[in-house]
Amino acid sequence: MLRILIAAILLLIWQAMAMSGLFYQDVVLGLPDIARGMARLLLDPDFYRNLWITVAEILAASAIGSLTGLVCGMVLGGSRILERAFERYLYYLGPTPKIIFFPLMILWFGVGPGSKVALGALSCFFPVALAVAAGMREIPFILKCVGTSLRATPLQKTLKIYLPAMRGPVINGLRMGFGVAVIGVLLAETKLSNQGLGYLVIQNYQHFDMQAMYALLIAIFGLAVAANTALSHWADPNHR
Amino acid sequence: MPRPDATRLRFGPELGGLAVLVLLLAIVELLVRSALLNPFLVPQPSAVLLAFGRIVAEENVLHRFLVTGSEAGTAAVLVACIGVPLGALLHRAHLLRAAIGSWIAAVAAAPIVLAYPLFLVMFGRSASTIIVISVLSGLPPVILMTTDSLQSVRPALIDVGKSLRMNAWSLFWKIMFPAALPGIFSGLRIGFIFALINVVGVEFLINFGGLGPLINELAERYDLPGTYAAIGFVVLVSIVVFLILEALEKWLRPGKR
Amino acid sequence: MNTASRQADEAARARTAPPILTVDGVSRHFDTADGRVDAVSDISLSVSHGEFVSIIGPSGCGKSTLFSMIGGLLPASAGAIRIEDETIRGPHPAIGMVFQEDSTFPWRTVIDNVAFPLELQGVARSERLEKARHFIDLVGLSGFERSYPAQLSGGMRQRVSIARTLVFEPKLLLMDEPFAALDEQTRLLLGDKVSQIQATLDQTVLLITHNIAEAVQLSDRVMIMSYRPGRNKRILPIDLPRPRTSEMLSSDAFGHYVARIWADLREEAGRGMRETEGVSARGADHASS
Amino acid sequence: MNTASRQADEAARARTAPPILTVDGVSRHFDTADGRVDAVSDISLSVSHGEFVSIIGPSGCGKSTLFSMIGGLLPASAGAIRIEDETIRGPHPAIGMVFQEDSTFPWRTVIDNVAFPLELQGVARSERLEKARHFIDLVGLSGFERSYPAQLSGGMRQRVSIARTLVFEPKLLLMDEPFAALDEQTRLLLGDKVSQIQATLDQTVLLITHNIAEAVQLSDRVMIMSYRPGRNKRILPIDLPRPRTSEMLSSDAFGHYVARIWADLREEAGRGMRETEGVSARGADHASS
Amino acid sequence: DDTLKLAVGQRGNWDTIVSQLGQDAGIFKKHGLELEILYTQGGGETLQAVISNSVDIGVAAGTIGVFSAFQKGAPIRIIGAQATGAADFWYVRADSPLHSIKDATPQTTIAYSTNGSSTNSVALGFAKAYGLKSKLVATGNPSATFTQVMTKQVDVGWSSPPFGFDALAQGKIRIVAKANDLDEIRHESIRTLIGNVNLLEHKQDQLKRFMAAYRETIDWMYASDDALKAYAAFNKTDVATARKVRDEFFPKSLIDPDKMAGLDLLNKDGIAFKTISEPLTPQQFDTLIQIPPRQ
Ligand SMILES: Nc1ncnc2c1ncn2[C@@H]1O[C@H](COP(=O)(O)OP(=O)(O)OP(=O)(O)O)[C@@H](O)[C@H]1O
Ligand SMILES: Nc1ncnc2c1ncn2[C@@H]1O[C@H](COP(=O)(O)OP(=O)(O)OP(=O)(O)O)[C@@H](O)[C@H]1O
Ligand SMILES: [Mg+2]
Ligand SMILES: [Mg+2]
């Protein structure tokens, strides 16, 4: 109830801002304009075509980035020596915006979806690897001992002890990884492409079609939030 | 449970890691020299090393480094100064938390940086655009972790305060806040990472500011070693922020193990 | 001194020394999702100045609940608690509490932990450090003033908590299983220490425990609680000479008291264990913590 | 049966039954940043089939270190450990370990926890569930098969651990302070249960503890360890009739053994406590965990 | 049909749309070519895409950037001029006191896109030609610039047709200068068509057909109104605007691919912007510039 009220107030403030003329009115659009843009977008088959492309790229990027991050994180987290040798480099590269590597990605993976997936995967890798490495270290030592004393094979330990024991941190890492993979893919699309939602955004911007741009951004935010909510729902330990 | 000991190795692993890094670079150098790696795509690491000196001398990198650094610093300070109080507020105001807690989690998931054209038209091609986007991306984790860690302060510590008849204000400052600091710092670390990614990322995208545009410009000029050297400076910004945060944490959390 | 004369003596003392703490028909229940839990039911007890009273009972019998109510952290559902005729409605300045869990502040050094209550009272820095140092010495931690809790063992941390409570010289010291996390030997040696301190400071102590030997070793009287709802099953005066040391553990008289309390408790513990197996997740969780 | 004849009997038994476990001059040290720590020094012990042996010693004396070495989780610095003539170099299939800390898998239900070792061995699902159910019943947890550890009390979780170890029928059961986290009453009642199970399954048990009553209550022999470096201070045969119940706790014979062990331990614990106060953060930290 | 991949900077400009319109009109198809067009956000990416051989042809790569890459040995060649002279124009808000860029004072701020870009040369050119002391500021692409002008962050903005034409029509802005006002710009091939060496060596035939179709498309674009309609539809504007773009801003010579003009000037610019360390020699130009001749 309160939530609806706050939402309504926020929308009203926006509308007031749009009408006040304090902001350049071609940029801060009123609500009716945004609604119109939304309707136009949702009826446009082009939107759905580009949407699926982007979704496929994001899924591929998250899958590759998460898997490599998972393996790397487990190796780093499983050995104090490797951790001390290499983890700092992950921490240093983690906050480096991956978009600056996009030129390299074009060089290596071409101009098609390959380079977008690569950039997304690269973005996704770091948070997953760091979270898994930390999670690995937080597995109670005792649980590893149980596995060793029962002479579990490394594969058995990984599947039956490490992964379930790290469920929380791993899923949190995957969530963060997914979030940055989305950003990576979309930004790559704005840079060099002829399809995908990132491409649509930049086209609308270059045409100064603010209506369409708002609509697109709202759609993208909505989808990202929905995907993230689904992931966190899955992470909730009460929801097995 | 007694664990096998690894403390014997004082700096062995660190040196080993460095050695592996150097070795990798040497291999890349060889591959590029022998043209097994396309030399037009990957510069020789040695050339990149030399380019560091060159871009410092010719491209005013130190100034650009400071520009990016101060943007990152401003964003970080804002993230901390807005995020932590907001998190605390959310912790205290249960109603507000119920109402907008999940929204903040949602904002955390939204790729705000994609709206950069929008911010560009609102705030112009200026440092404020860069800082606003960075702050917005860095805030959610800080707010959420602050609320969370205040929420999960051990009840025994709060009971101590109550039994000593502390008022709400000093209970917060002397017990809740210091007890929540470890959690707040993990939030800050994530928040700063996001903010930093966005600072340089947006600089790069809108071609404005310090190091971001330099990377663009050098790439445009097809100065590959220079481009990589500039990326090296960006990594340096990350390292500096990371180290500052660590020092800050050491200072604020003296009892930390 | 035989038991009868000792009891007479006790009674005389109770008459002359007015009780510092009176628990008068106190009950407490919790309303949970699974229904109402009666944690403490109609407990009465009075403690005179200088006395050492222990409360013993099986896990989940309501000891901590009673402790919180006396400490003023939790209101009673029925009955009243008085400190020297003053009914308490919140934390009372005459009471010092030592908690079951580790409650040292990890961000403060030992000396800053101990000086904390004085800091709140606005005592000048030099004075409060001096006082803190005195109590750190008393609990045997001299030399560790500048250490952080993370650098200490569990037993040492509990001693810091005790010093922090002693430092503001509360008239009544409440302790909730302060040694539960420690191993038996350390626990008994710490018990010796608390006994000495109590004698030195002429302190009134209410100790909650589930360790029989500890209760017998330290107390003038032991109150045995029944399993949930926690009631007063028996109050047993311990008629052993003081000072008591851990050597006494192997004496026959000591064994007599242990056996006596054990007989009472076995019944309750057995009841508790059987019942715990039937309780909901929440209750069981709590009982185990 | 008097003490002398009982001891003769013991000796005869040791001659006839070959030892299932032989610990032969085992030592272990750790290299830490602050220098070398000798945790265990030159320990020898042999345990015959069907015997119940306890190891008791003050905190930090190296009990868990010895436990890990026998379990094959930690190599010895010197000496050898043999299971029926086979020198161990890693976890041995004949050994089942129950750990000091809670080691149940929080993401598995009770029955899946208990069936875990069988799952690793590739036993068919229906068979392993049936077996798991049997051992859950044995430790008195029937009805909780589908609960998660978070929904159980500490004592119940330890029983899950025990069932999980019993399920693959190890010849030698190693237990490291399995009841340390529990309150005294629950602990003694669980001890009764372990005693029953051992009799039923004719199991060999090596129990590590620092609880004197527990050691006396359960063991055929008690090995008392000295404070660091942990050495074998004494091996004491417990000549009490079986089955032993918690009632015995108040008997005179029982008190005799308790007093005897206590006398040995007091010295060591005192030494340990004084020393702990002097050790570095790291060591103290470890001792408290 | 053979497929060629193109990387194109600046979607929807009259000069960059040639291949798109030709493809839509079936002209490339007629020459047995299928084009796959990717859009980039600038010359840098176009260049990289070509160097890495991920695309065959780059459209609208900044000439001095191409010089630089070539000088460092990158495997690229110029296969045609793309823009000789520029259609970019400079404008002010309608309420501005400026009537021509010549009126600019030292307080006036004049926009260009990014350092080293062609708009940067033009802005510098204005300053030199008219002796202006105004401040030059990098403002990014036309829409970013437009907002900054409208919100008074800069005085004189730049744009590239057709962006801003609706604002012009509504009287929100006024044009104060055109790039082609400057002689040296008018005679300088500031952007090029480039191809990877691989294309020249192994797909000579496709390249020839591409250039033939490209030229044919340009002829068609200036021959009738069909192209104007297609252009208007692509850019979601009207034919009148399209006509204005073509007739007022893009003389046919501007997009003629056959001749690279102003090589000396370009050499000088390259050195001024530090993209090349020394001027390219005539021999180097012979290797670099390999425009397939008209059949
Ligand atoms: N906040 C609460 N809500 C619901 N039930 C509670 C609450 N606090 C305590 N209880 C219940 O009241 C009973 C008594 O709890 P209490 O903590 O006082 O026991 P205790 O004697 O201190 O046990 P232990 O020896 O394990 O510390 C328990 O059954 C517990 O589950
Ligand atoms: N990995 C290690 N590195 C350094 N020192 C260790 C290590 N493991 C154990 N120690 C030291 O060895 C000694 C024996 O430890 P151990 O855990 O075996 O004691 P314990 O008898 O089991 O104690 P507790 O009763 O507290 O469980 C301790 O002083 C401890 O600090
Ligand atoms: Mg309690
Ligand atoms: Mg141990």
Side-chain angles (χ1 to χ4, degrees):
Chain A
M1 191 51 228
L2 186 65
R3 233 184 257 203
I4 298 173
L5 194 73
I6 291 179
I9 291 174
L10 284 181
L11 290 178
L12 274 178
I13 292 177
W14 178 269
Q15 179 67 19
M17 257 164 55
M19 296 198 305
S20 70
L22 279 177
F23 293 86
Y24 182 47
Q25 56 174 347
D26 284 358
V27 172
V28 181
L29 296 184
L31 297 178
D33 275 332
I34 295 178
R36 227 169 288 138
M38 211 61 220
R40 217 172 66 190
L41 183 78
L42 293 179
L43 291 174
D44 184 0
D46 224 34
F47 167 66
Y48 296 99
R49 190 177 58 78
N50 286 297
L51 174 65
W52 295 133
I53 289 164
T54 301
V55 166
E57 283 170 356
I58 289 172
L59 289 183
S62 312
I64 297 170
S66 304
L67 218 65
T68 46
L70 197 67
V71 171
C72 244
M74 287 185 65
V75 169
L76 278 187
S79 150
R80 284 214 83 83
I81 296 184
L82 290 181
E83 173 207 337
R84 281 173 58 191
F86 297 115
E87 196 163 328
R88 63 179 65 244
Y89 301 112
L90 290 194
Y91 273 110
Y92 296 157
L93 285 177
T96 307
K98 307 303 169 306
I99 186 71
I100 59 182
F101 296 108
F102 185 56
L104 267 187
M105 299 296 127
I106 311 178
L107 299 179
W108 289 346
F109 301 101
V111 291
S115 53
K116 282 97 197 170
V117 171
L119 193 76
L122 184 70
S123 311
C124 180
F125 170 83
F126 288 91
V128 174
L130 287 175
V132 171
M136 194 71 183
R137 247 167 270 131
E138 261 159 42
I139 298 177
F141 182 64
I142 194 74
L143 298 186
K144 301 184 190 174
C145 284
V146 172
T148 314
S149 80
L150 293 174
R151 298 180 307 130
T153 63
L155 184 71
Q156 280 176 328
K157 277 196 205 173
T158 306
L159 293 180
K160 290 184 190 288
I161 299 182
Y162 300 160
L163 284 179
M166 296 192 290
R167 193 165 181 269
V170 166
I171 290 183
N172 262 332
L174 291 182
R175 260 170 74 183
M176 266 211 273
F178 176 78
V180 291
V182 169
I183 296 177
V185 165
L186 289 173
L187 284 188
E189 284 179 350
T190 66
K191 282 248 139 190
L192 170 70
S193 68
N194 53 11
Q195 53 184 4
L197 295 183
Y199 168 77
L200 284 191
V201 168
I202 211 68
Q203 292 316 321
N204 284 321
Y205 178 47
Q206 283 181 355
H207 290 151
F208 215 74
D209 186 347
M210 286 294 147
Q211 253 185 31
M213 197 166 107
Y214 273 108
L216 250 179
L217 288 177
I218 291 171
I220 291 172
F221 285 8
L223 288 168
V225 169
N228 192 58
T229 314
L231 265 180
S232 56
H233 199 64
W234 184 44
D236 188 354
N238 297 324
H239 178 91
R240 288 175 188 263
Chain B
M1 278 306 299
R3 299 158 182 253
D5 36 337
T7 40
R8 212 175 333 174
L9 308 154
R10 287 245 154 145
F11 296 107
E14 283 81 355
L15 291 178
L18 202 65
V20 169
L21 197 75
V22 171
L23 190 73
L24 277 180
L25 289 179
I27 291 174
V28 172
E29 175 93 23
L30 273 177
L31 288 178
V32 175
R33 277 177 190 248
S34 63
L36 281 172
L37 267 180
N38 187 342
F40 301 115
L41 308 186
V42 185
Q44 296 171 9
S46 57
V48 175
L49 214 60
L50 292 177
F52 268 102
R54 181 161 53 80
I55 64 171
V56 168
E58 292 176 11
E59 303 300 339
N60 212 359
V61 161
L62 295 181
H63 175 247
R64 287 169 178 275
F65 182 79
L66 288 181
V67 168
T68 301
S70 56
E71 282 165 2
T74 315
V77 168
L78 285 175
V79 163
C81 292
I82 300 174
V84 175
L86 221 58
L89 182 73
L90 231 55
H91 162 72
R92 304 236 57 171
H94 301 262
L95 223 76
L96 198 65
R97 184 168 70 239
I100 66 170
S102 53
W103 284 3
I104 291 175
V107 171
I112 293 172
V113 63
L114 202 69
Y116 77 87
L118 196 66
F119 289 93
L120 212 53
V121 287
M122 285 213 253
F123 297 94
R125 231 165 68 100
S126 59
S128 24
T129 296
I130 296 171
I131 290 170
V132 167
I133 294 179
S134 311
V135 170
L136 279 182
S137 328
L139 271 182
V142 177
I143 298 176
L144 292 176
M145 298 278 276
T146 302
T147 311
D148 261 15
S149 39
L150 283 172
Q151 209 83 331
S152 48
V153 171
R154 293 216 325 272
L157 298 187
I158 299 174
D159 279 349
V160 171
K162 283 192 188 147
S163 79
L164 293 174
R165 294 174 307 130
M166 294 168 80
N167 59 30
W169 179 252
S170 70
L171 190 69
F172 180 83
W173 280 113
K174 291 193 179 252
I175 295 185
M176 304 281 287
F177 186 68
L181 259 185
I184 293 177
F185 263 99
S186 350
L188 282 179
R189 193 166 297 128
I190 301 175
F192 283 5
I193 287 179
F194 283 174
L196 197 62
I197 290 183
N198 280 284
V199 164
V200 186
V202 174
E203 274 193 357
F204 182 73
L205 285 170
I206 71 175
N207 213 346
F208 179 89
L211 294 169
L214 181 65
I215 294 172
N216 269 334
E217 211 177 305
L218 292 170
E220 204 109 343
R221 266 193 238 158
Y222 194 65
D223 180 355
L224 276 187
T227 310
Y228 280 80
I231 292 178
F233 270 97
V234 173
V235 177
L236 197 63
V237 177
S238 322
I239 295 177
V240 168
V241 170
F242 188 78
L243 293 181
I244 289 179
L245 194 69
E246 238 174 21
L248 197 69
E249 186 166 6
K250 234 180 223 146
W251 177 62
L252 274 174
R253 287 181 55 197
K256 185 195 167 205
R257 292 199 227 195
Chain C
M1 190 165 22
N2 66 24
T3 312
S5 77
R6 165 85 193 208
Q7 274 174 347
D9 188 65
E10 279 275 330
R13 181 174 168 177
R15 256 196 313 281
T16 48
I20 178 170
L21 167 73
T22 318
V23 177
D24 194 359
V26 161
S27 303
R28 170 76 205 196
H29 63 257
F30 294 103
D31 291 315
T32 69
D34 310 320
R36 174 177 156 143
V37 175
D38 282 298
V40 167
S41 172
D42 193 23
I43 293 233
S44 295
L45 171 74
S46 81
V47 180
S48 349
H49 177 82
E51 233 188 339
F52 196 122
V53 175
S54 291
I55 299 179
I56 195 166
S59 198
C61 76
K63 300 184 296 296
S64 294
T65 306
L66 182 60
F67 169 81
S68 298
M69 289 190 290
I70 299 175
L73 300 178
L74 194 75
S77 309
I81 297 167
R82 281 187 295 277
I83 302 289
E84 292 177 334
D85 292 335
E86 181 187 344
T87 303
I88 65 160
R89 307 202 184 288
H92 191 281
I95 295 184
M97 299 173 87
V98 177
F99 294 87
Q100 181 167 6
E101 300 122 90
D102 174 23
S103 67
T104 52
F105 299 132
W107 60 90
R108 283 173 172 253
T109 56
V110 167
I111 194 161
D112 286 340
N113 256 292
V114 174
F116 183 75
L118 303 178
E119 198 180 311
L120 293 183
Q121 291 170 5
V123 176
R125 189 175 157 77
S126 65
E127 192 189 332
R128 67 179 189 245
L129 290 189
E130 190 187 326
K131 233 172 157 179
R133 214 166 272 125
H134 171 72
F135 282 93
I136 289 171
D137 191 41
L138 208 62
V139 297
L141 284 178
S142 316
F144 289 90
E145 287 87 353
R146 299 261 143 254
S147 304
Y148 286 96
Q151 302 170 312
L152 305 179
S153 74
M156 293 161 91
R157 272 185 282 209
Q158 274 304 12
R159 280 184 272 167
V160 174
S161 297
I162 294 172
R164 186 179 60 192
T165 308
L166 292 175
V167 82
F168 66 96
E169 296 171 24
K171 282 191 196 156
L172 174 62
L173 188 62
L174 280 184
M175 299 199 274
D176 188 5
E177 307 189 21
F179 314 131
L182 312 181
D183 70 288
E184 181 123 338
Q185 288 88 37
T186 317
R187 185 197 312 217
L188 289 172
L189 293 170
L190 261 188
D192 278 1
K193 193 142 244 167
V194 167
S195 217
Q196 283 163 24
I197 294 173
Q198 189 228 4
T200 322
L201 300 180
D202 192 23
Q203 196 114 44
T204 312
V205 180
L206 186 64
L207 171 77
I208 287 173
T209 181
H210 51 220
N211 187 297
I212 304 173
E214 190 174 287
V216 176
Q217 183 195 4
L218 298 172
S219 316
D220 296 316
R221 288 188 294 153
V222 175
M223 171 171 132
I224 300 150
M225 276 176 78
S226 67
Y227 188 69
R228 219 166 40 195
R231 288 177 202 280
N232 184 344
K233 193 179 172 93
R234 182 192 312 275
I235 295 186
L236 183 74
I238 306 294
D239 189 15
L240 288 175
R242 285 189 179 271
R244 302 179 190 156
T245 58
S246 42
E247 274 103 344
M248 252 180 226
L249 248 184
S250 27
S251 80
D252 276 352
F254 195 92
H256 158 79
Y257 283 114
V258 170
R260 179 87 186 268
I261 297 177
W262 177 238
D264 273 352
L265 277 180
R266 262 197 54 227
E267 220 180 294
E268 297 301 326
R271 212 154 61 82
M273 199 167 150
R274 249 165 291 125
E275 223 179 89
T276 310
E277 293 179 2
V279 299
S280 74
R282 176 117 213 272
D285 232 14
H286 186 92
S288 75
S289 69
Chain D
M1 196 171 5
N2 67 22
T3 312
S5 74
R6 166 82 193 210
Q7 272 174 347
D9 189 64
E10 279 275 330
R13 180 175 168 178
R15 257 196 311 281
T16 50
I20 177 170
L21 168 73
T22 318
V23 177
D24 194 357
V26 160
S27 301
R28 170 76 205 196
H29 62 257
F30 293 101
D31 291 314
T32 68
D34 310 317
R36 173 176 157 143
V37 175
D38 282 299
V40 166
S41 173
D42 193 23
I43 293 232
S44 296
L45 171 74
S46 81
V47 179
S48 349
H49 178 83
E51 234 189 337
F52 196 122
V53 175
S54 291
I55 298 179
I56 196 167
S59 198
C61 76
K63 300 183 297 294
S64 294
T65 306
L66 183 60
F67 168 81
S68 297
M69 290 190 291
I70 299 175
L73 299 179
L74 196 73
S77 309
I81 297 168
R82 280 187 294 278
I83 303 289
E84 292 177 335
D85 291 335
E86 182 187 343
T87 303
I88 65 159
R89 307 202 184 288
H92 191 283
I95 295 183
M97 300 174 87
V98 177
F99 295 89
Q100 181 167 6
E101 299 121 274
D102 174 21
S103 67
T104 51
F105 297 128
W107 60 90
R108 282 174 172 250
T109 56
V110 167
I111 193 160
D112 285 340
N113 257 293
V114 174
F116 182 76
L118 304 177
E119 198 180 312
L120 291 185
Q121 291 170 7
V123 175
R125 188 174 158 75
S126 64
E127 191 187 332
R128 68 178 188 243
L129 290 189
E130 190 188 324
K131 235 171 156 180
R133 215 167 272 123
H134 170 71
F135 282 94
I136 290 171
D137 191 40
L138 207 63
V139 297
L141 284 179
S142 318
F144 289 90
E145 287 87 353
R146 300 261 143 254
S147 305
Y148 285 94
Q151 301 170 312
L152 305 179
S153 73
M156 295 162 89
R157 273 184 280 205
Q158 274 304 15
R159 280 184 274 166
V160 173
S161 297
I162 294 171
R164 186 179 61 192
T165 307
L166 292 175
V167 81
F168 65 98
E169 296 171 25
K171 283 191 198 158
L172 173 63
L173 188 63
L174 281 183
M175 299 200 275
D176 188 6
E177 309 189 20
F179 315 129
L182 312 180
D183 70 288
E184 180 124 339
Q185 289 85 40
T186 317
R187 184 198 312 217
L188 289 172
L189 292 170
L190 261 188
D192 278 1
K193 192 140 242 164
V194 166
S195 219
Q196 282 164 26
I197 293 174
Q198 190 228 5
T200 322
L201 300 180
D202 192 24
Q203 195 114 45
T204 312
V205 180
L206 185 65
L207 170 79
I208 287 172
T209 181
H210 51 218
N211 188 297
I212 304 172
E214 191 173 285
V216 176
Q217 182 194 4
L218 299 173
S219 317
D220 295 316
R221 288 188 293 154
V222 174
M223 171 170 130
I224 300 150
M225 276 174 79
S226 68
Y227 187 67
R228 218 165 42 194
R231 290 176 201 280
N232 184 342
K233 194 178 171 94
R234 183 192 310 276
I235 296 186
L236 183 75
I238 306 294
D239 189 16
L240 288 174
R242 285 188 180 272
R244 303 181 189 154
T245 57
S246 43
E247 274 102 346
M248 253 182 225
L249 249 183
S250 27
S251 80
D252 274 352
F254 195 92
H256 158 79
Y257 283 113
V258 169
R260 180 86 187 269
I261 297 176
W262 177 237
D264 273 352
L265 276 180
R266 262 198 50 228
E267 221 180 294
E268 298 301 326
R271 211 153 63 79
M273 198 169 153
R274 246 166 292 123
E275 225 179 89
T276 310
E277 291 179 3
V279 299
S280 74
R282 180 119 211 272
D285 234 15
H286 184 92
S288 74
S289 69
Chain E
D1 285 4
D2 297 308
T3 303
L4 282 180
K5 277 193 192 163
L6 267 65
V8 180
Q10 309 296 339
R11 184 182 193 263
N13 284 0
W14 182 258
D15 56 334
T16 56
I17 206 171
V18 177
S19 18
Q20 183 76 52
L21 290 189
Q23 163 106 331
D24 294 348
I27 299 174
F28 283 88
K29 183 129 188 95
K30 211 169 66 189
H31 290 263
L33 289 175
E34 180 80 41
L35 302 185
E36 187 184 325
I37 300 173
L38 290 128
Y39 290 98
T40 73
Q41 276 205 75
E45 278 136 32
T46 309
L47 198 60
Q48 277 152 350
V50 176
I51 290 173
S52 62
N53 205 15
S54 336
V55 297
D56 302 295
I57 291 169
V59 177
T63 309
I64 55 178
V66 175
F67 284 7
S68 163
F70 175 76
Q71 195 177 49
K72 292 180 178 109
I76 50 167
R77 299 290 180 265
I78 291 176
I79 57 167
Q82 191 267 341
T84 303
D88 305 333
F89 61 90
W90 272 253
Y91 61 89
V92 292
R93 273 173 68 115
D95 56 7
S96 165
L98 298 187
H99 291 287
S100 153
I101 197 144
K102 292 171 197 155
D103 307 337
T105 65
Q107 281 77 46
T108 311
T109 44
I110 300 176
Y112 64 92
S113 65
T114 58
N115 290 333
S117 66
S118 55
T119 51
N120 194 354
S121 325
V122 177
L124 284 170
F126 286 142
K128 206 168 91 201
Y130 307 130
L132 306 178
K133 302 224 156 29
S134 308
K135 213 174 138 222
L136 306 184
V137 286
T139 54
N141 66 18
S143 36
T145 310
F146 182 67
T147 318
Q148 290 172 72
V149 173
M150 296 315 281
T151 53
K152 300 189 178 168
Q153 298 178 54
V154 282
D155 301 319
V156 183
W158 76 277
S159 182
S160 203
F163 188 92
F165 275 29
D166 40 356
L168 271 175
Q170 290 160 24
K172 287 185 186 165
I173 57 175
R174 281 184 286 113
I175 293 183
V176 291
K178 291 181 183 172
N180 268 354
D181 295 348
L182 295 172
D183 261 359
E184 68 262 34
I185 296 295
R186 207 161 45 229
H187 298 122
E188 203 175 334
S189 296
I190 55 166
R191 288 192 288 268
T192 58
L193 299 172
I194 55 175
N196 192 285
V197 170
N198 187 54
L199 173 78
L200 280 98
E201 281 172 3
H202 303 294
K203 299 186 184 170
Q204 205 32 263
D205 180 51
Q206 276 122 294
L207 173 59
K208 278 191 191 129
R209 279 186 277 144
F210 173 80
M211 286 309 292
Y214 191 85
R215 289 173 178 123
E216 190 177 332
T217 306
I218 290 176
D219 292 340
W220 169 74
M221 283 164 75
Y222 285 86
S224 75
D225 282 0
D226 292 352
L228 293 182
K229 275 183 211 134
Y231 178 80
F234 190 83
N235 277 320
K236 300 189 180 109
T237 84
D238 49 34
V239 177
T241 308
R243 189 184 307 282
K244 184 170 157 152
V245 169
R246 182 183 74 182
D247 296 346
E248 286 181 27
F249 288 85
F250 285 96
K252 194 174 173 192
S253 65
L254 198 154
I255 62 173
D256 173 24
D258 288 345
K259 184 166 178 300
M260 286 295 295
L263 293 178
D264 289 346
L265 285 170
L266 287 163
N267 255 338
K268 255 187 6 220
D269 278 357
I271 286 173
F273 288 126
K274 287 192 281 196
T275 54
I276 50 178
S277 47
E278 53 199 82
L280 268 63
T281 62
Q283 291 80 4
Q284 282 177 313
F285 278 131
D286 284 347
T287 320
L288 173 61
I289 302 171
Q290 303 203 14
I291 304 175
R294 250 178 209 276
Q295 310 279 296

